Amino acid sequence: MAAKQINPGLIWTVSILLALIFLAIGVVMVLKPEQTVSQPTNATQAPPLVLKALGVALCLGAVLLLVPRVAWVGAGLLGLILIGAIGLWVFQGDGMQTLIPALLLVSVGTLAYIRRPGGPSATPPRPEGAAVNPAATTPLTNDPSRG
């Protein structure tokens, strides 16, 4: 049974949209860290340096999503950050805040699965003895022996 092919345009569209979302969040966290986190009244305030580091990690993950060979690494990085955010909100008793990060986590996890090495969107290995130059496989039109 042949492996199912996934539409490359759909993969790129999802990758670009996710990259834009995480890049926007990361840039805001780097530029205005004190305004990015909604803290409950009983929670401790995260230091701005930690928020800036998370913003840089989000930007790095967003850029890695756009490089096909390492998109699964960027998706893994973003997934770890999202798991941390979900865990923090659940621990603080604010479970309703986890809906959007959970949906983003599912999207990033799916993208990591699709873009992994050997995954559905990976280019298949070249068979042994296959020509490297595609022009070498096309027949010559001016071959005198063909008559």
Side-chain angles (χ1 to χ4, degrees), residues 32-83:
K32 299 179 181 178
E34 63 279 348
Q35 296 177 358
T36 57
V37 179
S38 62
Q39 294 287 332
T41 56
N42 60 355
T44 58
Q45 183 74 21
L49 186 61
V50 171
L51 295 176
K52 285 186 180 188
L54 280 173
V56 169
L58 286 169
C59 291
L60 177 65
V63 170
L64 289 177
L65 281 181
L66 299 176
V67 182
R69 287 186 178 231
V70 292
W72 64 276
V73 175
L77 173 66
L78 294 170
L80 286 175
I81 294 170
L82 288 170
I83 288 171

Side-chain angles (χ1 to χ4, degrees), residues 35-145:
Q35 296 177 358
T36 57
V37 179
S38 62
Q39 294 287 332
T41 56
N42 60 355
T44 58
Q45 183 74 21
L49 186 61
V50 171
L51 295 176
K52 285 186 180 188
L54 280 173
V56 169
L58 286 169
C59 291
L60 177 65
V63 170
L64 289 177
L65 281 181
L66 299 176
V67 182
R69 287 186 178 231
V70 292
W72 64 276
V73 175
L77 173 66
L78 294 170
L80 286 175
I81 294 170
L82 288 170
I83 288 171
I86 291 169
L88 180 68
W89 278 323
V90 168
F91 180 72
Q92 291 178 350
D94 199 8
M96 291 305 292
Q97 291 279 347
T98 63
L99 181 62
I100 302 234
L103 291 174
L104 287 173
L105 181 63
V106 169
S107 300
V108 165
T110 304
L111 187 65
Y113 175 76
I114 291 171
R115 287 281 179 111
R116 76 188 191 284
S121 71
T123 55
R126 190 176 307 136
E128 292 294 324
V132 175
N133 185 1
T137 61
T138 57
L140 298 175
T141 55
N142 295 333
D143 189 6
S145 64

Side-chain angles (χ1 to χ4, degrees), residues 16-30 55-56 58-63 65-66 78:
I16 291 170
L17 288 175
L18 285 172
L20 287 174
I21 289 169
F22 287 111
L23 189 65
I25 294 169
V27 166
V28 170
M29 285 183 90
V30 169
V56 169
L58 286 169
C59 291
L60 177 65
V63 170
L65 281 181
L66 299 176
L78 294 170

